[in-house]
Amino acid sequence: MAQVPQRFFDALAVRTWCGLSLRALGRAREEIDAINVYPVADGDTGTNLYLTVESAAAAVEAVFAAHELDAGARGASESPGGANQAPPGAGDGPSLADAVGAMAHGALIGARGNSGTILAQLLRGMAQVLTAGGDSGRAEGSGLRRALRHAAASARQAVAHPVEGTVLTVASAAADAADAAEGGCAEVARAAYEGARAALAATPGQLPALERAGVVDAGGHGLVTVLAALVETFTGRVPGPVAVPHARAERGGEGLADAHAPAGECATETAAEENGPAFEVIYLLEAEDAAVARLRQRLDALGDSLVVVGGDGLWNVHVHVDDAGAAVEAGVEAGRPYRIRITHFGHGDAHTTKAERPPRERAQRAVVAVVPGEGLAALYTEAGATTLLARPGEPPASGELVQAVRRAHAREVVLLPNDAELRHTAAAAAEQARTEGIRVALIPTRSAVQGIAALAVHEPERRFDEDVVAMTSAAGATRHAEVTVAERQSWTTAGICQAGDVLGLIDGDVAVIGADVSQVAATVLDRMLSAGGELVTLVLGDAAPRAVADRLEARVREAYLAVDTVVYRGGRQGALLLVGVE
């Protein structure tokens, strides 16, 4: 279907751009991965960029979905007698500020690798300009020019040691070309794309590692792909393909493994050695600006490939180090680090050629589970599962699930999404993993307590089909509930709730509305046990009153004979309490 061009940079243009960028990166991902040689030849730049944009696009879609829901509710509330008339502006869609803010935030929390982290800062830099001085609802060519200029400058500031011949060079060239362009958004976008494309072609002459491998910079290639999607957003046409020199053609048959590229993924150190740091450390960080300034100095002394992006109290930190613990401790001293990911380059790492990497034996079977809190992650890991932590309001993307399946490194994988909203995402991830030769069974668990029940009966020694049937049966026999706090006024199956009300949801539907956590939890538990049960599982979140579990355990002992109770600490899991009844 032909893309309808957008005249101005408004919320709809942001949504269109994100969708087209995601599609384009999906097509180019393998090609970009294949030319990733600087600073670490770990072959994941395309994948990292895809995951970053996927997170940004999901955040924008969430803004549009919330606006449509709110507009519908306003229209219904002002429609006596069925004359559904929405208030003025209800159908206009979210504002430009809302859309670009969501795009930038989604990219920040979902950024992967050096290239993804730098792209997140580029998007944040654009958002800062497009939301400055109020929200007119749209930006024209002049606004897009300023946004691209500020994006390139802010990305350079985020990198500890900028290097030419990288994505930073390509971003600067795009901004320079945009500055010289006249006209509206379409003309500015096309000029930026052409400027970036020319700069990308010149990167092998700026970096010896690229010249030896006979390729252009992978991160720069990704940015040109994103700018091509911006052109398509405003013109409805896809510009010409990016010309990528291929190592085999340029170097008489030698492949990327023969290039002996320096260490690192995309653009930070002025010089990189083959024997680079052993770990990649990435985490989100809640911290004040002054603390982050000190953190930059500390991490710069510990390693290389340092990129710190973000602001307004939330940051994404990326660094390559030999002492991963010290990098995390530095984050703890600066503020509150979370979603910590540590990758050990190790043997088969980015500092050895592919020919030197000894193959690692695959396990026969593994369980991969999405879990909502650190406490449950530890519980699942202890039981042998590979876990993917999902923060409240930050559901994992399909690419992250695919990476978790790959990380499990097994021939057969049982996938537990543990959330009804993740069923389509998990199905897409399972399908992708199957194309890679992994046998995947998706058990549609709707809550972490159902996942616990499934994991309890998991037996790797059984035939795969028998194991999946047993786990599916155990999950299906577990009723699930949660106690949480309403964020806004809303219609529910139990009536109208107000912001701050305590809600009890049974099997996904609101069943109880109250003011006291313990009372709502007790009512929920009584309703669940009225249909019978032998085991109650309680998972307490950090925000739940400590006395809740004691009161519920006492209630079960007194009112329900022969029913056992087990209690776990879930950590920052979103809900105050998760309940399972088997």
Side-chain angles (χ1 to χ4, degrees):
M1 182 181 294
Q3 176 62 44
V4 178
Q6 305 296 315
R7 290 186 59 198
F8 304 104
F9 203 106
D10 57 9
L12 184 57
V14 174
R15 184 187 201 182
T16 303
W17 183 31
C18 286
L20 291 175
S21 295
L22 186 63
R23 190 185 312 165
L25 285 170
R27 292 192 297 264
R29 179 183 61 81
E30 291 184 1
E31 181 180 40
I32 296 173
D33 283 347
I35 64 171
N36 173 200
V37 299
Y38 180 82
V40 172
D42 47 0
D44 63 357
T45 294
T47 299
N48 288 336
L49 288 169
Y50 179 87
L51 292 175
T52 302
V53 173
E54 186 177 42
S55 181
V60 173
E61 288 301 322
V63 166
F64 271 83
H67 185 275
E68 291 167 5
L69 183 64
D70 290 344
R74 290 196 302 269
S77 66
E78 298 191 7
S79 305
N84 292 337
Q85 272 202 331
D92 295 339
S95 68
L96 173 60
D98 288 340
V100 295
M103 174 185 70
H105 181 73
L108 177 67
I109 64 175
R112 297 291 185 274
N114 256 5
S115 292
T117 307
I118 292 172
L119 178 61
Q121 187 65 13
L122 288 167
L123 296 179
R124 177 178 171 81
M126 292 185 69
Q128 287 174 327
V129 170
L130 294 170
T131 57
D135 180 22
S136 63
R138 69 185 193 186
E140 300 188 8
S142 58
L144 182 55
R145 279 193 292 271
R146 292 194 303 273
L148 290 169
R149 170 55 61 199
H150 184 66
S154 63
R156 279 187 177 270
Q157 291 171 359
V159 175
H161 302 284
V163 176
E164 297 307 324
T166 65
V167 63
L168 299 176
T169 304
V170 175
S172 294
D176 290 342
D179 282 343
E182 296 181 356
C185 289
E187 290 75 19
V188 172
R190 182 172 291 281
Y193 165 74
E194 294 295 347
R197 189 180 181 193
L200 176 65
T203 55
Q206 296 172 294
L207 270 179
L210 302 180
E211 186 175 23
R212 286 196 298 270
V215 297
V216 296
D217 179 65
H221 183 358
L223 178 57
V224 172
T225 302
V226 171
L227 289 173
L230 186 63
V231 174
E232 186 180 359
T233 298
F234 294 118
T235 67
R237 299 184 181 88
V238 181
V242 180
V244 181
H246 195 281
R248 187 173 299 278
E250 296 288 328
R251 304 180 65 250
E254 293 179 330
L256 295 181
D258 302 308
H260 299 292
E265 183 211 344
C266 177
T268 55
E269 286 294 327
T270 55
E273 301 297 330
E274 287 183 342
N275 296 319
F279 296 95
E280 178 185 57
V281 179
I282 306 173
Y283 49 79
L284 291 178
L285 177 70
E286 293 178 356
E288 299 298 325
D289 290 3
V292 172
R294 293 190 295 270
L295 175 66
R296 289 179 192 269
Q297 295 178 349
R298 174 86 179 274
L299 293 179
D300 194 22
L302 286 175
D304 59 33
S305 297
L306 173 61
V307 186
V308 181
V309 305
D312 300 322
L314 180 62
W315 309 82
N316 190 308
V317 179
H318 172 281
V319 67
H320 292 174
V321 294
D322 281 321
D323 189 344
V328 175
E329 288 173 7
V332 173
E333 292 176 5
R336 186 177 77 86
Y338 61 99
R339 288 184 71 168
I340 300 167
R341 294 186 299 277
I342 300 174
T343 302
H344 181 212
F345 293 130
H347 66 251
D349 71 5
H351 309 302
T352 61
T353 65
K354 293 179 181 178
E356 295 170 341
R357 299 179 186 179
R360 181 161 65 96
E361 183 66 26
R362 284 185 178 272
Q364 181 59 34
R365 188 175 309 160
V367 176
V368 174
V370 180
V371 291
E374 298 91 340
L376 282 176
L379 175 67
Y380 272 74
T381 301
E382 185 178 346
T386 297
T387 61
L388 178 59
L389 192 61
R391 292 287 176 185
E394 301 172 9
S398 61
E400 292 178 272
L401 281 170
V402 172
Q403 284 199 330
V405 170
R406 292 170 181 155
R407 194 169 72 245
H409 203 64
R411 299 182 181 89
E412 302 168 338
V413 171
V414 180
L415 184 56
L416 306 175
N418 291 339
D419 187 339
E421 299 297 322
L422 288 178
R423 61 188 184 279
H424 296 306
T425 302
E431 189 60 34
Q432 172 62 36
R434 292 183 187 114
T435 66
E436 299 176 10
I438 304 171
R439 188 180 184 187
V440 181
L442 171 61
I443 298 179
T445 48
R446 295 176 291 169
S447 170
V449 292
Q450 289 188 322
I452 292 173
L455 199 55
V457 300
H458 169 55
E459 291 186 16
E461 303 307 318
R462 273 193 299 225
R463 290 179 55 247
F464 184 64
D465 291 339
E466 293 176 354
D467 198 27
V468 171
V469 168
M471 295 176 71
T472 302
S473 178
T478 302
R479 299 188 68 198
H480 64 94
E482 68 177 78
V483 177
T484 189
V485 177
E487 296 182 356
R488 63 175 70 90
Q489 182 187 43
S490 180
W491 291 86
T492 76
T493 51
I496 300 176
C497 70
Q498 305 295 328
D501 283 349
V502 180
L503 307 180
L505 289 78
I506 299 178
D507 293 333
D509 294 323
V510 177
V512 183
I513 301 174
D516 181 78
V517 174
S518 294
Q519 290 179 359
V520 170
T523 302
V524 166
L525 188 58
D526 286 341
R527 292 191 185 184
M528 296 180 75
L529 287 173
S530 66
E534 298 176 354
L535 176 66
V536 172
T537 300
L538 304 174
V539 183
L540 265 69
D542 276 354
R546 294 187 176 275
V548 170
D550 295 337
R551 293 175 184 174
L552 293 179
E553 283 188 284
R555 187 177 188 84
V556 171
R557 283 196 303 269
E558 295 168 2
Y560 302 97
L561 300 178
V563 176
D564 295 325
T565 305
V566 59
V567 180
Y568 301 111
R569 298 286 174 179
R572 294 184 292 273
Q573 63 184 21
L576 298 174
L577 176 70
L578 300 178
V579 183
V581 173
E582 304 175 47

